[in-house]
Amino acid sequence: MIYFHIFLDFFIPGILGYGGGPASIPLIENEVVDRYEWMSVNEFSEVLAMGNALPGPIATKMAGYIGYAEGGILGAIVGVFATVAPSLILMISLLGLLMKFKDSPRVKRLTIVVRPVIAVLLGVMTYDFFFSSYEGVGLMQTILIGGISFILMEKLKVHPAYVIAGSLVYGALVLS
Amino acid sequence: MKQRDLFLAFFRVGILGYGGGPSSIPLVHKEVVEKYKWMDSDEFGDVLALGNALPGPIATKMAGYIGYRVGGYLGMINALAATMIPAIILMILLLTGLNSYKDEPWVKGMAEAVVPVVAVMLAVLTWDFIKKSGKSKLGWVWTAVALIGSLVLLQFFNLHPAILIFVLLLGALLKKDPAPVENKQTGGEQQ
């Protein structure tokens, strides 16, 4: 049963996540945190932060780790398979057909139409994370850490992996 | 040889692609087009466009398809494994390692300090999607309408996002195309 749930949990984000891996993150959160309650928002944010600090595609890292946490090695395989297989099978089998229609306005419209929804899902998640941080470390620390990491990543173009590593050190030393 | 090249090419992509799937696309291009010359730049562009038109993670779609093209089903599995497995193993090792110290105050501090950083990254990603949407054919006004509409449906009516996305996709596919004035390349594809 758990494998079936893991499969569904990642099949849905895999098949609805238009716009690449990041677009499927809020969908994964919806399943993992809200629906199956496998993790709290905080735990999910740790996994996401770790995922962002490591190289490689994000959706499969999430699927692999969460699948492993819930169902061991087999769970990891099921999670990754559910994430990757549907769209890959579509890509290989429909290749000829899709090549013909890739410039069709209908096919192009798919991505356009879904973008605002993904933006809202991401926005809601952003709010959840800020709120959970506010409850955890208070307003001052949230603004301080958030502000500094924004400047580092967006203005000074520091790689997120370093910013995350820095925040971990700060947390271990100052917030303990 | 071919399988070994495939593995090495996608292993490098997987291990150097910081910032999620989309950031590894230029690395895939470098390996596939420039280094191993498995396809030319135009063909690569087609595969990328196609990958973007389909749902799901982009890096694995590219790896799977290119692996399949170069080395059949074995090549597909090979390239996929090389892209994903190193990062997944690292992630499991690091996170389970951290879990056994979960109740130490310094580990709690680490976990709490990282939340606002992730929130900022998500905020930036949200803004990227809004900006892209406003600049697309949808335009800013319709983007705003769509944002507010989906916020209300998802947050206040608790509609499952899958249902909303599915309905929108269906609408986008079924909607009649506007007269071809707007877009010259639409020609030939409708009846």
Side-chain angles (χ1 to χ4, degrees), chain A residues 12-27 30-31 35 42-43 45-65 68 76 80 83-84 87-88 90-92 94-95 98-126 128-130 132-133 136-137 141-142 145-147 149-150 153-154 159-161 163-164 167-173 175-176, chain B residues 13-22 24 43 45-65 68-69 73 76 80 83-84 87-88 90-92 94-96 98-99 102 105-126 129-130 132-133 136-138 142-143 146-148 150-151 154-155 160-166 168-178 183 185-186 189-191:
Chain A
I12 295 172
I15 208 73
L16 292 172
Y18 271 86
S24 59
I25 300 299
L27 296 168
N30 200 286
E31 302 290 321
R35 199 157 122 122
N42 259 327
E43 282 171 293
S45 80
E46 269 175 66
V47 177
L48 186 54
M50 190 63 81
N52 270 321
L54 290 172
I58 182 76
T60 50
K61 263 180 295 188
M62 301 296 283
Y65 175 71
Y68 177 78
V80 169
T83 306
V84 173
S87 58
L88 185 58
L90 268 175
M91 180 136 172
I92 291 177
L94 297 181
L95 191 82
L98 271 163
M99 274 296 185
K100 224 169 93 191
F101 287 107
K102 78 177 158 47
D103 293 323
S104 143
R106 287 177 197 221
V107 171
K108 285 197 167 153
R109 210 152 49 203
L110 293 179
T111 310
I112 292 177
V113 131
V114 162
R115 245 181 228 142
V117 183
I118 302 289
V120 166
L121 291 171
L122 284 167
V124 169
M125 240 172 101
T126 309
D128 285 347
F129 277 44
F130 274 125
S132 133
S133 170
V137 294
Q141 291 288 351
T142 301
I145 303 171
S149 49
F150 178 77
M153 288 187 288
E154 291 304 306
H159 196 283
V163 178
I164 287 169
S167 78
L168 293 175
V169 172
Y170 178 82
L173 295 178
L175 299 178
S176 59
Chain B
V13 170
I15 210 75
L16 294 173
Y18 271 92
S24 59
E43 208 183 339
D46 280 348
V47 175
L48 183 58
L50 187 62
N52 271 322
L54 287 170
I58 182 76
T60 51
K61 261 178 298 190
M62 300 294 285
Y65 177 68
Y68 174 75
R69 269 277 307 269
Y73 285 108
M76 175 181 93
L80 275 175
T83 311
M84 303 183 304
I88 294 177
L90 267 177
M91 180 130 171
I92 290 175
L94 287 174
L95 279 172
T96 45
L98 214 56
N99 256 340
K102 196 161 63 183
W106 60 274
V107 175
K108 280 194 176 151
M110 286 167 74
E112 287 184 330
V114 91
V115 178
V117 182
V118 179
V120 166
M121 291 194 297
L122 285 169
V124 170
L125 202 59
T126 308
F129 270 86
I130 294 176
K132 259 188 227 156
S133 179
S136 74
K137 261 202 226 160
L138 209 56
W142 281 108
T143 296
L147 287 174
I148 294 165
S150 36
L151 182 67
L154 295 171
Q155 283 311 106
H160 193 287
I163 298 172
L164 181 59
I165 293 175
F166 183 75
L168 283 171
L169 292 178
L170 207 63
L173 273 180
L174 295 180
K175 182 173 168 272
K176 276 225 170 79
D177 291 313
N183 191 341
Q185 67 200 17
T186 60
E189 276 156 14
Q190 294 104 348
Q191 308 89 325

